[in-house]
């Protein structure tokens, strides 16, 4: 083994330009694989983040229409204890109603939260426009469009009116831009206590519990588990996947096409290396014949070519990773949106990059099996007789 | 003295559809420690004979014994070990590995035996290279030496594992007459000092006459066999 490795190394270093070209071939294949893989990964993450990153991924509601959940704290305790996967948990009291400011009267959706818990999901703090602040007691945030339509500004006091004509005056702590037109036109965000007062709910009532989870794509599995665990409560549990089938099929289509591209890149790398190494067996058949005349075994001679493939794979893998990261860096530096952010935020996944490196090594070692087998068949007498 | 090589009724045919017979019922005994010359015209079958003795080629029929072991039925692996430990080759075109230095080429049969680049036999390799007059070109790549130096490297290489038999196919075929004399003196010296058995193919009658035994091969048969000992 050791001798085969040492001879392989010498064969490679004795023809550096050829070794470099093969290495470059592998490296370009692997860098394209890393680039495409990471690009699609980044695209998916940003797509998933922008579509479901700031919404509830699993929502628990009462099984009875328009009825609140009575004891959401109990459910919170159960989920807090048994579901490490849940990263954000926020009860909400949400109810449609109206708002009055000056002579302006408009419809709105009041979203009552424990504002700090809800902030994890909806990122209100980031959505507040300059001049605003997070609401304190008796204060609310108001959607940008709703505010503009009714000439509301920060510091104004507006009146919330329920369908039953109960009213409450609240102060506007800030305007928010949630990047979704329908939310900006409708939402007023504040504490649950305000909702309890305007819409007459008991303490401990919530219209829904909203959650985010570690792996959004596992939301359906978690939903099934929760449905089982919480079956004694009169609730229904929904997740984002059932509501976004088109997005899901788009994402899985993207994943599949990215995988197909990567597979074909790897296949072309393998074929390229196999054909080049097959030629090197011809180039080196004289040396192999001499070595066999001196007593090297067929197996050892085949290892020489396996090691050549292995060494080229390692070099190509390392160079490919460097090139791939360079490409990603260039792409995220030069392909920018007008606001200076990258068009696609690149996600460097060390696991994926390591996998690509391993693919390079594995692919080129596998590609060297045929030449290795060929070298077994080289007969010393052919070389000696034919010069 | 015992015989170290024994050939019984060796026949060799080449080709599958059109068969060409090269050796005909050939019998040969080589005494241990002797220096033998094989002469014959080109195409007479002497190189085929040497390749069969060296286990590089197999006879179509017949038995080959080297050091008491029958070789014509051995597997490739067994043959590889036998060649490595028992036989040293010196070819007309020396067949050095161009990727390696003269020194590494000399060490190669030892490396093969140890299965790695081992420093164990370095002293011996230096001695052998000094013996064949290669002290100054030890670290030259095989391709960067003159024909004579390459041939002497091949000689040193054939000796590194202290084989019992050295097979040489026109070792001085492409050397000038002065250098060939020196090379022959060298082989003769080694034969005397180390008691290595030599079988040397040569065209040069002048050199053949210096051997212990001259075997002439003609049309695939031993035509004459003349021994001085």
């Amino acid at each position: 083994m050791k001798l085969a490795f040492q001879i392989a190394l010498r064969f490679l270093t004795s023809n550096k330009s050829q070794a470099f070209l093969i290495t470059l071939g592998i490296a370009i294949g692997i860098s394209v694989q890393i680039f495409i893989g990471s690009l699609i990964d980044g695209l998916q993450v940003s797509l998933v983040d922008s579509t479901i990153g700031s919404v509830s991924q699993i929502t628990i509601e009462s099984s009875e229409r328009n009825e609140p959940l009575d004891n959401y704290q109990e459910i919170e305790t159960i989920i807090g204890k048994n579901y490490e996967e849940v990263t954000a948990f926020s009860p909400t009291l949400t109810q449609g109603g109206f708002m009055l400011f000056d002579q302006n009267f408009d419809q709105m959706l009041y979203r009552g939260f424990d504002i700090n818990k809800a902030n994890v999901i909806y990122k209100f703090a980031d959505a507040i426009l300059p001049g605003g602040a997070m609401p304190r007691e008796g204060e609310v945030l108001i959607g940008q469009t709703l505010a503009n339509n009714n000439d509301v500004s920060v510091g104004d006091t507006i009146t919330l009116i329920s369908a039953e004509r109960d009213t409450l005056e609240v102060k506007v702590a800030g305007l928010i831009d949630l990047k979704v037109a329908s939310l900006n036109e409708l939402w007023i965000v504040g504490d649950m206590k305000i909702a309890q007062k305007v819409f007459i709910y008991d303490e401990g009532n919530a219209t829904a519990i909203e959650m985010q989870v570690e792996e959004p794509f596992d939301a359906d599995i978690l939903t099934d588990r929760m449905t089982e665990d919480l079956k004694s409560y009169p609730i229904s549990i929904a997740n984002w996947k059932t509501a976004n089938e088109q997005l899901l099929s788009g994402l899985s289509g993207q994943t599949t096409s990215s995988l197909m591209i990567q597979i074909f890149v790897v296949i072309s790398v393998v074929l390229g290396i196999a054909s080049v190494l097959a030629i090197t067996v011809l180039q080196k058949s004289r040396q192999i014949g001499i070595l066999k005349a001196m007593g090297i075994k067929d197996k050892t001679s085949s290892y020489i070519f396996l090691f050549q493939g292995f060494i080229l794979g390692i070099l190509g893998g390392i160079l490919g990773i460097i090139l791939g990261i360079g490409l990603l860096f260039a792409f995220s530096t030069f392909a920018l949106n007008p606001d200076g952010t990258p068009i696609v935020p690149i996600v460097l996944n060390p696991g994926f990059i390591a996998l690509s490196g391993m693919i390079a090594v594995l692919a080129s070692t596998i590609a060297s099996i045929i030449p290795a087998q060929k070298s077994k068949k080289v007969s010393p007498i052919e070389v000696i007789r034919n010069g | 003295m015992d015989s170290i090589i024994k050939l019984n009724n060796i026949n060799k045919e080449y080709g599958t559809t059109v068969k060409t017979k090269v050796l005909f019922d050939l019998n040969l005994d080589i005494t241990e420690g002797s220096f033998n010359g094989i002469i014959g015209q080109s195409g007479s079958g002497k190189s085929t004979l040497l390749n069969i003795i060296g286990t590089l080629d197999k006879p179509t029929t017949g038995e080959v014994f080297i050091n008491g072991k029958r070789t014509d039925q051995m597997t490739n692996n067994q043959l590889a070990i036998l060649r490595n430990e028992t036989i040293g080759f010196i070819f007309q075109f020396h067949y050095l590995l161009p990727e390696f230095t003269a020194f590494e080429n000399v060490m190669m049969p030892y490396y093969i035996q140890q299965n790695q680049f081992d420093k164990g036999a370095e002293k011996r390799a230096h001695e052998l290279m000094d013996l064949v007059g290669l002290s100054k070109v030890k670290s030259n790549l095989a391709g960067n030496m003159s024909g004579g130096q390459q041939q002497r490297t091949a000689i040193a290489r054939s000796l590194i594992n202290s084989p019992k038999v050295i097979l040489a196919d026109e070792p001085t075929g492409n050397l000038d007459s002065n250098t060939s004399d020196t090379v022959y003196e060298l082989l003769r010296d080694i034969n005397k000092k180390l008691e290595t058995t030599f079988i040397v193919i040569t065209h040069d009658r002048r050199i053949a006459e210096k051997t212990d035994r001259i075997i002439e091969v003609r049309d695939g048969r031993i035509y004459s066999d003349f021994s001085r000992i």
Side-chain angles (χ1 to χ4, degrees):
Chain A
M1 288 284 266
K2 216 170 166 188
L3 178 71
F5 181 79
Q6 286 158 326
I7 295 175
L9 205 59
R10 185 62 66 88
F11 279 178
L12 288 176
T13 51
S14 71
N15 197 343
K16 291 195 183 75
S17 55
Q18 191 182 27
F20 177 72
L21 279 177
I22 305 175
T23 307
L24 199 64
I26 302 169
I28 287 176
I30 293 304
S31 67
V32 168
Q33 198 228 342
I34 289 178
F35 181 68
I36 290 181
S38 301
L39 196 69
I40 302 280
D41 243 24
L43 205 62
Q44 294 217 341
V45 168
S46 90
L47 209 62
V48 168
D49 194 51
S50 60
T51 43
I52 58 161
S54 296
V55 295
S56 170
Q57 290 159 357
I58 298 179
T59 308
I60 300 179
E61 288 178 315
S62 166
S63 52
E64 304 261 335
R65 240 176 102 83
N66 295 329
E67 284 295 316
L69 295 162
D70 287 334
N71 291 308
Y72 75 81
Q73 287 99 335
E74 279 178 36
I75 296 174
E76 183 172 7
T77 314
I78 294 170
I79 289 186
K81 213 188 282 175
N82 302 328
Y83 292 86
E84 283 176 4
E85 302 91 333
V86 173
T87 53
F89 184 100
S90 166
T92 174
L93 259 176
T94 299
Q95 189 83 32
F98 304 94
M99 62 150 281
L100 181 67
F101 175 67
D102 213 357
Q103 296 300 312
N104 300 320
F105 185 75
D106 208 340
Q107 63 172 340
M108 61 91 191
L109 183 73
Y110 185 80
R111 303 231 47 199
F113 293 111
D114 178 333
I115 203 84
N116 290 325
K117 287 181 180 172
N119 193 40
V120 180
I121 299 178
Y122 293 100
K123 285 116 193 150
F124 293 127
D126 301 333
I128 297 174
L129 297 179
M134 285 292 270
R136 284 167 299 191
E137 208 177 324
E139 291 183 340
V140 295
L141 297 170
I142 179 166
Q144 183 186 22
T145 320
L146 182 62
N148 290 345
N149 288 349
N150 297 291
D151 301 325
V152 178
S153 1
V154 177
D156 290 339
T157 302
I158 58 171
T159 310
L160 305 177
I161 307 166
S162 75
E164 282 78 28
R165 297 174 185 244
D166 296 302
T167 61
L168 184 74
E169 288 194 343
V170 289
K171 198 176 156 198
V172 174
L175 273 54
I176 45 174
D177 177 11
L178 294 165
K179 307 280 183 201
V180 179
S182 59
L183 304 190
N184 286 345
E185 275 171 18
L186 216 55
W187 277 24
I188 292 178
V189 177
D191 199 83
M192 284 174 86
K193 282 183 190 139
I194 294 175
Q196 284 162 9
K197 284 181 193 156
V198 185
F199 304 107
I200 322 292
Y201 281 113
D202 293 336
E203 210 170 317
N205 277 359
T207 50
I209 296 167
E210 299 181 336
M211 281 172 276
Q212 281 197 339
V213 292
E214 218 163 55
E215 290 294 332
F217 286 93
D218 293 341
D220 49 346
I221 303 167
L222 278 177
T223 306
D224 291 346
R225 258 177 67 200
M226 286 179 188
T227 311
E228 184 59 30
D229 286 353
L230 301 169
K231 63 182 171 199
S232 57
Y233 294 90
I235 54 171
S236 72
I237 307 178
N239 67 71
W240 71 274
K241 282 175 117 174
T242 44
N244 292 281
E245 272 184 37
Q246 274 187 330
L247 172 67
L248 267 177
S249 82
L251 289 178
S252 83
Q254 210 175 43
T255 308
T256 315
S257 53
S258 149
L259 202 64
M260 289 309 291
I261 294 172
Q262 291 179 43
I263 287 173
F264 281 114
V265 168
V266 170
I267 288 176
S268 67
V269 169
V270 170
L271 290 179
I273 305 164
S275 60
V276 176
L277 283 178
I279 292 168
T280 66
V281 172
L282 288 180
Q283 280 179 343
K284 302 288 180 196
S285 61
R286 186 181 152 95
Q287 282 88 325
I288 296 296
I290 298 168
L291 285 165
K292 284 192 177 180
M294 285 190 285
I296 209 166
K297 290 178 187 161
D298 290 348
K299 209 172 172 184
T300 314
S301 81
S302 72
Y303 282 152
I304 294 175
F305 291 91
L306 286 180
F307 276 126
Q308 285 199 45
F310 181 72
I311 296 168
L312 288 169
I314 289 181
L315 293 177
I318 293 171
L319 192 63
I321 288 172
I322 294 171
L323 277 178
I325 293 178
L327 267 176
L328 288 172
F329 178 75
F331 187 78
S332 63
T333 310
F334 299 115
L336 298 175
N337 287 319
D339 65 355
T341 55
I343 291 177
V344 177
I346 301 294
V347 181
L348 274 187
N349 180 346
F352 175 69
I353 289 173
L355 183 74
S356 299
M358 280 196 293
I359 286 175
V361 178
L362 208 67
S364 46
T365 310
I366 289 172
S368 62
I369 288 177
I370 297 171
Q373 289 299 326
K374 249 186 168 168
S375 85
K376 274 189 178 177
K377 295 196 181 104
V378 171
S379 141
I381 189 64
E382 298 296 324
V383 177
I384 304 298
R385 201 186 292 141
N386 302 327
Chain B
M1 283 264 228
D2 294 338
S3 75
I4 186 148
I5 293 162
K6 194 171 169 60
L7 304 186
N8 291 339
N9 301 320
I10 296 296
N11 284 285
K12 179 67 185 175
E13 280 175 9
Y14 286 117
T16 44
T17 44
V18 181
K19 291 187 177 168
T20 317
K21 197 159 181 180
V22 189
L23 297 178
F24 299 85
D25 285 328
L26 198 140
N27 291 290
L28 187 65
D29 257 296
I30 301 286
T31 314
E32 192 168 356
S34 61
F35 197 105
N36 308 274
I38 297 180
I39 55 170
Q41 291 180 332
S42 54
S44 59
K46 54 189 191 310
S47 288
T48 305
L49 176 63
L50 196 78
N51 289 335
I52 287 175
I53 296 172
T55 76
L56 296 174
D57 210 348
K58 287 193 173 183
T60 312
T61 59
E63 298 170 347
V64 181
F65 293 90
I66 293 175
N67 213 10
K69 288 178 201 150
R70 186 164 174 187
T71 66
D72 53 290
Q73 292 174 334
M74 283 184 174
T75 63
N76 277 353
N77 265 351
Q78 290 169 321
L79 288 175
I81 295 168
L82 178 87
R83 277 200 295 272
N84 181 259
E85 291 174 353
T86 320
I87 305 171
F89 291 97
I90 307 167
F91 301 104
Q92 184 178 0
F93 301 105
H94 43 74
Y95 292 115
L96 298 178
L97 299 167
E99 293 85 358
F100 294 84
T101 64
F103 181 77
E104 287 166 333
N105 266 286
V106 171
M107 288 289 281
M108 193 52 76
Y110 180 77
Y111 292 152
I112 291 172
Q113 196 176 55
Q114 300 301 314
N115 217 1
Q116 60 176 312
F117 285 16
D118 191 316
K119 298 202 168 171
E122 278 191 356
K123 192 166 163 256
R124 182 172 160 74
H126 284 299
E127 281 168 11
L128 285 170
M129 292 187 85
D130 294 341
L131 182 73
V132 297
L134 287 173
S135 312
K136 288 181 183 163
V137 290
K138 282 176 188 169
S139 44
N140 283 24
L141 281 177
N144 299 339
M145 294 191 294
S146 71
Q149 287 170 332
Q150 292 188 14
Q151 196 58 293
R152 278 180 280 161
T153 307
I155 294 170
R157 178 180 68 183
S158 72
L159 291 166
I160 186 78
N161 280 351
S162 312
K164 293 204 154 169
V165 183
I166 287 185
L167 305 176
D169 192 350
E170 306 211 24
T172 58
N174 52 0
L175 301 180
D176 62 68
S177 60
N178 276 344
T179 321
S180 22
D181 279 348
T182 322
V183 166
Y184 262 97
E185 290 308 318
L186 187 67
L187 297 183
R188 203 60 214 198
D189 250 24
I190 294 160
N191 165 248
K192 281 186 186 137
K193 277 186 198 154
L194 308 174
E195 292 188 351
T196 310
T197 310
F198 276 82
I199 302 176
V200 181
I201 290 180
T202 181
H203 266 115
D204 193 338
R205 265 200 179 270
R206 204 165 47 90
I207 280 160
E209 277 159 13
K210 294 179 188 167
T211 59
D212 300 333
R213 181 181 175 189
I214 305 176
I215 300 154
E216 186 177 357
V217 179
R218 198 180 277 186
D219 298 330
R221 294 181 176 87
I222 292 178
Y223 179 74
S224 70
D225 189 345
F226 172 70
S227 177
R228 266 187 276 268
I229 46 171

